[in-house]
Amino acid sequence: MSEAAETKPRVKLLKYNAVAMWRYTFHNEKCGICRTHITQRCLDCVSAGNDVSECKLAWGRCGHCFHVHCIQKWLKTTHTCPMCSQVWEAERITGHNAADEDDSDDEM
Amino acid sequence: MATNVRTRRLMKELSTIRKDAALGTLDPILTLEPVSDSLDTWTATIKGPDDSAYSGFVFKLSINIPSQYPMTPPEVRFVTKIFHCNVHFSSHEICLDILKSTWTPAWSLQHVVRAIHLLMGAPEPDSPLNCDAGNLLRAGDKRAHDSMVRLICSRYAERLQPEK
């Protein structure tokens, strides 16, 4: 033990670059209804020229995510998730940049 | 506004289809494209499933896109006459759950056409639109069923051109 502690380290760490990986924790990256990436506005908002702040995202308990405008239109006819057909239960509603929201799950 | 969303979504579907066609991953779909610029009606051609009596023939489908698409399913029917227990022999209407009760907007036209291809290989004789075909299958007379399939195919369907 003491011998190992006395020997000088052969390598000295001068600098390091930390790399972090991240990914979304939901299953689909595209809204299954309008097929636009969920980081972008839904097709309704694109057509209407709405700002991205007006287009919210709905996250289901089943782990699927849709634009609020898209899922609302679908829920008028059937109250199930379009991706997995489980009964739709909204878990939370966020803006497109989830980290900016006041939502507790996504605090900075 | 609703029609605009429908058009944009169909444009997205078309670009996916074109990408898949370029990559060669559209098989067993030979073609899937709109008939006109309006994107209201599409047409598709599919190969008969390899392990079925439909093998070696090409089948044409017509697809009508309703105004509420993708909230309501597309209306699909065969153009080519086909002897299949879930396809009406005269109207060519298709009995398939995802075209009716279990449709969701997560399905696309490409999914639907693939599902029809699978239905050709896996007929459901318990909900027949063509009772003659259904009865042959329910009686377990696959040989009679398959020879009837081939007779109708050879009369009405185009033969699959061998790949060069």
Side-chain angles (χ1 to χ4, degrees), chain B residues 46-117:
Chain B
I46 49 173
K47 293 183 198 171
D50 287 338
D51 51 354
S52 74
Y54 305 99
S55 170
F57 293 95
V58 176
F59 299 85
K60 201 171 170 188
L61 300 164
S62 80
I63 304 165
N64 255 317
I65 314 290
S67 60
Q68 291 302 308
Y69 183 83
M71 297 301 153
T72 54
E75 295 152 13
V76 190
R77 57 183 65 224
F78 275 92
V79 175
T80 312
K81 193 176 256 318
I82 181 169
F83 187 76
H84 187 289
C85 66
N86 307 112
V87 184
H88 195 281
F89 195 62
S90 330
S91 72
H92 304 184
E93 185 194 334
I94 302 165
C95 176
L96 182 61
D97 58 353
I98 65 153
L99 291 175
K100 310 242 159 63
S101 54
T102 60
W103 166 261
T104 90
W107 293 87
S108 68
L109 296 180
Q110 194 184 142
H111 290 130
V112 166
V113 174
R114 284 183 190 279
I116 291 168
H117 177 261

Side-chain angles (χ1 to χ4, degrees), chain A residues 32-33 35 44 46-47 74 82, chain B residues 5 8-9 71 103-106:
Chain A
I33 299 172
R35 310 222 159 239
D44 269 318
V46 172
S47 299
W74 173 245
Chain B
V5 172
R8 280 174 197 267
R9 152 127 178 183
M71 297 301 153
W103 166 261
T104 90

Side-chain angles (χ1 to χ4, degrees), chain B residues 101-159:
Chain B
S101 54
T102 60
W103 166 261
T104 90
W107 293 87
S108 68
L109 296 180
Q110 194 184 142
H111 290 130
V112 166
V113 174
R114 284 183 190 279
I116 291 168
H117 177 261
L118 290 174
L119 179 71
M120 288 172 78
E124 284 287 343
D126 290 332
S127 57
L129 273 178
N130 180 338
C131 294
D132 296 325
N135 286 340
L136 285 173
L137 286 176
R138 274 191 286 194
D141 199 347
K142 194 169 180 327
R143 206 170 141 195
H145 173 267
D146 286 359
S147 62
M148 190 64 186
V149 165
R150 278 190 289 268
L151 174 71
I152 299 299
C153 284
S154 60
R155 183 165 293 182
Y156 296 99
E158 264 181 57
R159 281 189 194 273

Side-chain angles (χ1 to χ4, degrees), chain A residues 25-102:
Chain A
T25 52
F26 52 87
H27 305 185
N28 54 316
E29 291 195 0
K30 276 184 181 175
C31 169
I33 299 172
C34 70
R35 310 222 159 239
T36 308
H37 201 279
I38 54 109
T39 56
Q40 294 168 347
R41 292 173 299 169
C42 74
L43 293 182
D44 269 318
C45 287
V46 172
S47 299
N50 290 343
D51 188 75
V52 79
S53 61
E54 291 174 61
C55 192
K56 301 284 185 191
L57 295 173
W59 307 71
R61 207 167 284 282
C62 55
H64 295 115
C65 175
F66 305 92
H67 297 107
V68 168
H69 298 138
C70 296
I71 192 75
Q72 272 174 346
K73 275 198 277 178
W74 173 245
L75 295 178
K76 274 183 207 160
T77 54
T78 318
H79 210 88
T80 56
C81 170
M83 302 297 281
C84 62
S85 299
Q86 291 182 54
V87 173
W88 175 260
E89 280 183 81
E91 198 174 58
R92 58 208 164 96
I93 288 175
T94 67
H96 276 78
N97 192 353
D100 291 345
E101 292 295 306
D102 49 0

